[in-house]
Amino acid sequence: MLRKNEKYHIAIAGATGAVGRKMLAILEERNFPVDDLKLLASTRSAGKFLEFKGEKIAVEELRQNSFVNMDIALFSAGAGISREFAPAAVKSNCVVIDNSSAYRMEKDIPLVVPEVNSDAIGDNPGIIANPNCSTIQMVMVLKPIHEKFKIKRVVVSTYQSVSGSGQKAIDELKNQTRDLFSGNEVKVNVYPHQIAFNCLPHIDKFLDNGYTKEEMKMINETRKILGDDSVQVCPTTVRVPVFYSHSEALNIETEGPITGSAVKELLKAQSGISVVDDPPNNGYPLAIEGEDKNEVFVGRIRDDISCERAVNLWVVSDNLRKGAALNAVQIAELLISRP
Amino acid sequence: MLRKNEKYHIAIAGATGAVGRKMLAILEERNFPVDDLKLLASTRSAGKFLEFKGEKIAVEELRQNSFVNMDIALFSAGAGISREFAPAAVKSNCVVIDNSSAYRMEKDIPLVVPEVNSDAIGDNPGIIANPNCSTIQMVMVLKPIHEKFKIKRVVVSTYQSVSGSGQKAIDELKNQTRDLFSGNEVKVNVYPHQIAFNCLPHIDKFLDNGYTKEEMKMINETRKILGDDSVQVCPTTVRVPVFYSHSEALNIETEGPITGSAVKELLKAQSGISVVDDPPNNGYPLAIEGEDKNEVFVGRIRDDISCERAVNLWVVSDNLRKGAALNAVQIAELLISRP
């Protein structure tokens, strides 16, 4: 149970990673009431300094006892680290908001997008899971549509940026691009194939059913967040040579009659969603314009020409912000604002 | 009516463009029986030299009388040029194979993918239309599936390379990438927005129904080529920062029961299709590997997890080859091989 306070002791586990740094920036820009801030990372990164509100803070090594006297810990260091250290944090009476996949599908762990299912947090959370980036931006849009039109099935193709794989993937796209332009040999490390000027229909590991883990996350997490196992999702997740923001092409079939124009009006009224849909003036959401923005951008909203009860949408959001760090900080804001 | 001969007089209208040059290369590499070769282009390009079988050939200005004594003319200079000059070619008794959109949907003009509907050419063709690139690679895969399982509906999201917009778009992606890496201002000319490290859900012009012309081509041309107006297609066409080859994520719903494994076996047996589907070894079609290949590559073949009678596929092909120049040359080969 989070003790109520004016200001809070916040820990970030994985503080030096792409998402960890973004968490730090978002805590600062949203003026989160931080009393003490503890930046935690692996031995390799311990001793580095990161800045928060003009102050340099040393990164400490993440240990089992790092969470003593902490109120909220934001984890973004991979599922293994979460499994190893989150229980210790909970034992120290520190609420964990975990950006990894470790606990997302566990029955008693809430999986939360604040605009969608804040109620799921419950009275006394120990660990709250932050959903996968590609899921978050999708459910932000699905939720109001599901409430009004009841969704039967979603077919989604993604166009995901390399920042979803962390700083090393950002560097890999940069380096491969440079090497191609200067005639050097392209080195492949993070991804199994060249990502520069290419598309990889492969995110996370392949499972026996022919789907990737990323695709199964979009199915299972969506159902859990919407609280409705009847919602069918069929994803193809694809990595594209973009640095920041994921784009998604959604085809949504509903039980009830639906039109693009009704969906457009509905989405315009949602908090956290920005409708950018002006085809005659080439207005639609773009990855490069989603970068470092908090909103989920939606455009190309139109009737499905092939099916009466369906619509198409193009959804873009910064995967490091709403898809990760912002959503985690919003969960923390929810926690401290509860009566 | 094409007069039968040992070798043929071939004209290429738009010879200096990205597709025109590829037509020239493909005529050479397939050892097409060329007697006389006439390279035609705008005044601006007239006087340039292109090479064919080691010989330099001067590009001539395209005129109404350019087709006298020609047997077959391959057009790839845009719909306006086709409308202006193809009728003159036909009057000169020269069969036109037109890569533009000018005549594709005209009732009496055959729209042909040789592996799919060679019969459509008919006895005495004047103009034969070459389908749109994104349609060709899709129908190559749809045809055998439609024959065996009867397709109801296809939801398709594309990942299309810039070469589909010609050499100036290839240059724009190169220049924007260089400018971003060297901190210069990015210039936008060919596309309405930056294409480097971005995705544009916008190919060709927007129509009043919210779809683009490219998307409507995928709907209408597919029905015409399959000869079945009941096939529903719902496309979202997207330009990605890739130089060559289009990728497509297809979700195909059928009347009859269907499985990924049945589709895999079926596609393996098709001429012009290469199945690359080995997820455990990261085997799936890639744009950079499709480049300069003739086949349509298919992978990620799997049951639709959301719907019983549906499958998903990932389809990649070189848009300048099977999507344009190769298909046109194959049509010419069909013409000269008929009894």
Side-chain angles (χ1 to χ4, degrees):
Chain A
M1 186 70 181
L2 186 72
R3 59 178 179 81
K4 295 293 288 184
N5 224 321
E6 292 290 304
K7 290 186 164 192
Y8 295 86
H9 296 189
I10 305 292
I12 301 180
T16 55
V19 173
R21 286 166 191 266
K22 202 61 92 174
M23 285 168 164
L24 196 61
I26 291 172
L27 287 171
E28 176 168 338
E29 76 190 35
R30 290 170 80 88
N31 210 16
F32 193 93
V34 176
D35 188 0
D36 187 25
L37 187 62
K38 205 178 236 186
L39 304 181
L40 302 164
S42 63
T43 330
R44 195 169 37 81
S45 292
K48 281 186 185 170
F49 285 85
L50 294 174
E51 224 178 85
F52 183 71
K53 295 194 172 178
E55 199 186 326
K56 287 202 167 153
I57 302 177
V59 176
E60 302 171 38
E61 190 188 340
L62 172 61
R63 297 167 186 275
Q64 295 289 334
N65 65 0
S66 296
F67 303 95
V68 176
N69 287 325
M70 291 288 114
D71 297 312
I72 299 173
L74 305 172
F75 271 71
S76 191
I81 297 292
S82 291
R83 286 215 181 80
E84 192 177 344
F85 294 96
V90 173
K91 263 187 205 152
S92 302
N93 209 23
C94 168
V95 182
V96 170
I97 300 169
D98 181 25
N99 190 48
S100 85
S101 63
Y103 297 101
R104 285 180 193 150
M105 292 313 296
E106 286 205 8
K107 201 164 164 277
D108 298 326
I109 305 277
L111 180 67
V112 176
V113 178
E115 294 90 339
V116 175
N117 66 337
S118 58
D119 289 354
I121 292 182
D123 288 336
N124 193 12
I127 298 173
I128 301 166
N130 208 44
N132 184 43
C133 47
S134 52
T135 309
I136 292 178
Q137 70 185 69
M138 182 168 76
V139 294
M140 282 286 288
V141 171
L142 295 187
K143 170 69 173 182
I145 297 176
H146 189 49
E147 269 187 350
K148 185 149 184 185
F149 301 100
K150 187 144 177 46
I151 294 173
K152 282 169 64 179
R153 177 172 177 247
V154 180
V155 177
V156 51
S157 303
T158 71
Y159 302 69
Q160 295 182 232
S161 70
V162 297
S163 57
S165 317
Q167 188 58 47
K168 62 194 185 310
I170 296 172
D171 294 340
E172 181 145 312
L173 175 55
K174 279 187 191 157
N175 292 336
Q176 288 182 352
T177 304
R178 276 210 193 88
D179 285 342
L180 283 165
F181 273 57
S182 44
N184 295 329
E185 202 198 333
V186 168
K187 289 179 204 76
V188 163
N189 290 305
V190 177
Y191 299 116
H193 306 281
Q194 175 189 318
I195 181 63
F197 307 110
N198 201 14
C199 295
L200 310 184
H202 176 189
I203 297 185
D204 208 331
K205 294 203 177 81
F206 279 105
L207 302 171
D208 287 343
N209 67 356
Y211 286 78
T212 62
K213 274 189 171 180
E214 181 84 358
E215 287 160 354
M216 294 311 295
K217 286 175 193 169
M218 292 189 82
I219 298 170
N220 296 323
E221 295 182 15
T222 296
R223 289 178 181 158
K224 181 167 176 175
I225 297 164
L226 294 180
D228 187 343
D229 283 348
S230 77
V231 173
Q232 299 292 333
V233 181
C234 185
T236 300
T237 58
V238 181
R239 190 76 68 190
V240 293
V242 166
F243 287 109
Y244 301 98
S245 299
H246 294 345
S247 304
E248 298 179 349
L250 265 60
N251 178 271
I252 305 170
E253 282 179 67
T254 52
E255 295 277 358
I258 188 169
T259 64
S261 53
V263 168
K264 194 167 172 173
E265 289 316 303
L266 180 67
L267 294 180
K268 274 184 184 170
Q270 303 304 313
S271 161
I273 291 180
S274 176
V275 171
V276 181
D277 195 14
D278 183 16
N281 295 304
N282 304 319
Y284 33 75
L286 294 173
I288 56 166
E289 290 177 0
E291 185 182 333
D292 236 13
K293 305 269 169 48
N294 289 339
E295 297 97 316
V296 174
F297 298 90
V298 190
R300 300 285 337 258
I301 305 171
R302 62 205 193 278
D303 298 350
D304 181 334
I305 202 165
S306 76
C307 172
E308 267 201 13
R309 301 188 166 193
V311 290
N312 291 304
L313 309 172
W314 177 253
V315 180
V316 172
S317 194
D318 187 330
N319 52 299
L320 298 184
R321 286 196 163 247
K322 186 57 187 165
L326 172 66
N327 198 71
V329 172
Q330 285 178 304
I331 293 172
E333 289 172 346
L334 262 182
L335 283 175
I336 65 167
S337 66
R338 302 201 302 177
Chain B
M1 184 71 179
L2 186 71
R3 61 180 176 80
K4 296 294 288 184
N5 224 321
E6 292 290 303
K7 292 184 162 191
Y8 294 86
H9 296 188
I10 306 291
I12 301 180
T16 56
V19 173
R21 286 167 192 266
K22 202 61 94 173
M23 286 168 164
L24 196 61
I26 291 171
L27 286 172
E28 176 168 338
E29 75 191 37
R30 291 170 79 89
N31 210 16
F32 193 94
V34 175
D35 187 1
D36 188 25
L37 187 63
K38 205 179 236 185
L39 304 181
L40 302 164
S42 63
T43 328
R44 194 168 37 83
S45 292
K48 282 187 184 169
F49 285 85
L50 294 174
E51 225 178 84
F52 182 72
K53 296 194 172 178
E55 200 186 325
K56 287 201 167 153
I57 302 177
V59 176
E60 302 171 38
E61 190 189 340
L62 172 61
R63 298 166 185 275
Q64 295 290 333
N65 65 359
S66 296
F67 304 94
V68 175
N69 287 324
M70 291 287 113
D71 297 312
I72 299 174
L74 305 172
F75 270 72
S76 190
I81 297 292
S82 291
R83 285 214 182 80
E84 193 178 343
F85 294 96
V90 174
K91 263 187 205 153
S92 301
N93 209 23
C94 168
V95 181
V96 171
I97 300 170
D98 181 24
N99 190 49
S100 85
S101 63
Y103 297 100
R104 285 180 192 149
M105 292 313 296
E106 288 205 8
K107 199 162 165 278
D108 298 326
I109 305 277
L111 181 66
V112 176
V113 178
E115 293 90 339
V116 175
N117 66 337
S118 58
D119 289 355
I121 293 182
D123 288 335
N124 194 10
I127 299 173
I128 301 166
N130 207 45
N132 184 42
C133 48
S134 52
T135 308
I136 292 178
Q137 69 184 68
M138 181 168 76
V139 294
M140 282 286 288
V141 171
L142 295 187
K143 170 68 173 183
I145 297 175
H146 189 50
E147 269 187 350
K148 186 151 182 183
F149 301 100
K150 188 147 178 40
I151 294 173
K152 282 169 65 180
R153 177 173 177 246
V154 180
V155 177
V156 52
S157 303
T158 69
Y159 302 69
Q160 295 182 233
S161 70
V162 297
S163 57
S165 316
Q167 188 59 46
K168 61 194 185 309
I170 296 172
D171 294 340
E172 182 146 311
L173 175 55
K174 278 187 190 157
N175 292 335
Q176 288 181 351
T177 304
R178 277 208 192 89
D179 285 342
L180 283 164
F181 273 57
S182 44
N184 295 330
E185 200 196 334
V186 168
K187 289 179 205 76
V188 164
N189 291 304
V190 177
Y191 300 116
H193 306 281
Q194 175 189 317
I195 181 63
F197 307 110
N198 201 13
C199 295
L200 309 184
H202 176 187
I203 297 186
D204 209 331
K205 295 203 176 83
F206 280 106
L207 302 171
D208 288 343
N209 66 356
Y211 286 78
T212 62
K213 274 190 172 181
E214 182 83 358
E215 288 160 354
M216 294 311 295
K217 286 175 194 170
M218 291 188 82
I219 298 170
N220 296 323
E221 295 182 15
T222 296
R223 288 178 182 159
K224 180 166 176 176
I225 297 164
L226 295 180
D228 187 344
D229 282 349
S230 76
V231 173
Q232 298 293 332
V233 181
C234 184
T236 300
T237 57
V238 181
R239 190 74 67 189
V240 293
V242 166
F243 287 110
Y244 301 98
S245 299
H246 294 345
S247 305
E248 299 179 350
L250 265 59
N251 178 270
I252 304 170
E253 283 179 65
T254 53
E255 294 277 356
I258 188 169
T259 64
S261 54
V263 169
K264 195 167 172 173
E265 289 315 303
L266 180 66
L267 294 180
K268 275 183 183 170
Q270 302 303 314
S271 162
I273 291 181
S274 175
V275 171
V276 180
D277 196 13
D278 183 17
N281 295 304
N282 303 318
Y284 33 76
L286 293 174
I288 57 167
E289 291 178 358
E291 185 182 332
D292 237 13
K293 304 270 170 49
N294 288 339
E295 297 97 318
V296 173
F297 298 90
V298 190
R300 300 282 339 257
I301 304 170
R302 61 205 195 278
D303 298 350
D304 181 333
I305 203 165
S306 75
C307 173
E308 268 202 11
R309 301 188 166 191
V311 290
N312 291 303
L313 309 173
W314 177 255
V315 180
V316 172
S317 193
D318 186 330
N319 52 299
L320 297 185
R321 285 195 163 248
K322 186 57 187 166
L326 172 65
N327 198 72
V329 172
Q330 284 178 305
I331 293 172
E333 289 172 346
L334 262 182
L335 283 175
I336 65 166
S337 67
R338 303 201 301 178

